[in-house]
Amino acid sequence: MTLPPEIDNFRVAPNCIDPIPTDLIRETILTRVYGGASPFDNFPPPHVANSLRHRSLKGWGSKGAVFRHLIEEVRPKIIIEVGTFLGASAVHMATLTRQLGLDDTLILCIDDFRGWPGFREQFQFINHINGDVMLLYQFMQNVVYSNVTDSVLPLPFSTGSTLSRLCQWGVTADLIEIDAGHEFNSAWSDINRAFRLLRPGGVMFGHDYFRMGDNRGVRRAVNLFAQIYGLRVQTDGEHWVIHTS
């Protein structure tokens, strides 16, 4: 497809290898990211144990009906969540997959777990040690408390670098949620990079489609992406949904 230069310059085309088998994805992540061990082994480390709440699952739209609708429809073996924060939607999806008998479903949660400048003004309960915010540790504590450590794995890096690396490792998914940066460039990058990880017939969806003034942000990125690839945007509550089949 020939695109105007101002659009083509925004496209993302990492070098991807052929998809690896689904049953090798957990092992691949554990080996390449965590040296073969689970990040939940011996959690929490002593130096943060007293800084964590037993459970703190703050989120936005994290229990919308769209999650059950899509998990029932797709019955995914691999879910990728781009933008996780404290893990509210990840824990909800893990609970849903178990309720639906999808006990082997793996949810990969991509987030640098740094928040954003000034976020602790809103979330003062998130502690920090020498400027290192405890978002990753609180996320992991939430996963442990919810007893879904077999279903959820964090990938604590930037969304762009992680999505590109997963593509290079042959990791693909049946269902991908995009809910990280809300400005146009961030959303556009995440959507395009994530799309290359989506298996044929997979579904991509995300939050914040109806944010005020979002013709400059998520909604603009979603609509432009769908227009370029000839796909249709559907909505389910506060979420946008794109089917690839």
Side-chain angles (χ1 to χ4, degrees):
M1 181 183 300
T2 301
L3 299 173
E6 64 272 17
I7 293 180
D8 196 49
N9 288 340
F10 280 105
R11 300 184 78 191
V12 182
N15 295 322
C16 302
I17 67 170
D18 291 337
I20 62 175
T22 298
D23 58 3
L24 294 181
I25 290 178
R26 180 190 298 273
E27 177 185 349
T28 297
I29 298 300
L30 290 178
T31 299
R32 290 181 174 266
V33 177
Y34 296 107
S38 169
F40 297 104
D41 290 348
N42 303 313
F43 182 86
H47 73 284
V48 302
N50 293 330
S51 299
L52 304 176
R53 290 187 172 188
H54 292 300
R55 179 181 183 271
S56 181
L57 282 173
K58 169 66 179 176
W60 299 268
S62 302
K63 292 190 176 181
V66 66
F67 293 100
R68 177 175 286 275
H69 294 163
L70 292 180
I71 290 173
E72 286 181 340
E73 173 190 341
V74 178
R75 301 189 68 80
K77 294 182 178 179
I78 303 294
I79 299 173
I80 293 177
E81 179 177 62
V82 182
T84 294
F85 198 51
L86 290 168
S89 56
V91 167
H92 181 55
M93 287 191 286
T95 302
L96 288 174
T97 57
R98 293 184 177 185
Q99 291 175 355
L100 295 170
L102 304 173
D103 296 335
D104 294 330
T105 297
L106 176 63
I107 304 170
L108 301 177
C109 297
I110 303 174
D111 198 304
D112 63 8
F113 295 99
R114 302 301 305 162
W116 55 90
F119 89 98
R120 290 191 69 253
E121 296 173 2
Q122 182 178 357
F123 300 97
Q124 295 181 8
F125 63 87
I126 301 294
N127 289 315
H128 67 92
I129 298 176
N130 297 109
D132 182 16
V133 294
M134 299 289 101
L135 269 177
L136 173 60
Y137 293 121
Q138 187 61 61
F139 162 84
M140 295 176 70
Q141 173 63 29
N142 293 336
V143 172
V144 170
Y145 183 91
S146 303
N147 195 30
V148 292
T149 57
D150 290 340
S151 301
V152 176
L153 274 179
L155 290 168
F157 311 99
S158 70
T159 59
S161 63
T162 306
L163 291 168
S164 292
R165 189 52 57 94
L166 292 181
C167 205
Q168 294 165 8
W169 291 347
V171 173
T172 55
D174 310 290
L175 183 64
I176 300 179
E177 180 194 8
I178 308 293
D179 192 16
H182 297 146
E183 70 278 6
F184 173 81
N185 285 337
S186 294
W188 177 260
S189 174
D190 290 341
I191 291 168
N192 277 271
R193 293 179 193 272
F195 184 61
R196 287 158 177 79
L197 305 181
L198 201 60
R199 292 188 182 138
V203 177
M204 187 162 56
F205 72 111
H207 195 225
D208 299 298
Y209 190 72
F210 295 107
R211 284 166 59 99
M212 184 177 296
D214 209 54
N215 282 327
R216 299 185 300 273
V218 172
R219 185 163 64 244
R220 178 187 173 207
V222 171
N223 290 347
L224 181 58
F225 174 84
Q227 178 184 350
I228 289 172
Y229 286 96
L231 301 170
R232 185 163 68 97
V233 180
Q234 299 173 298
T235 58
D236 188 330
E238 300 175 348
H239 290 74
W240 57 270
V241 180
I242 293 178
H243 291 76
T244 60
S245 61

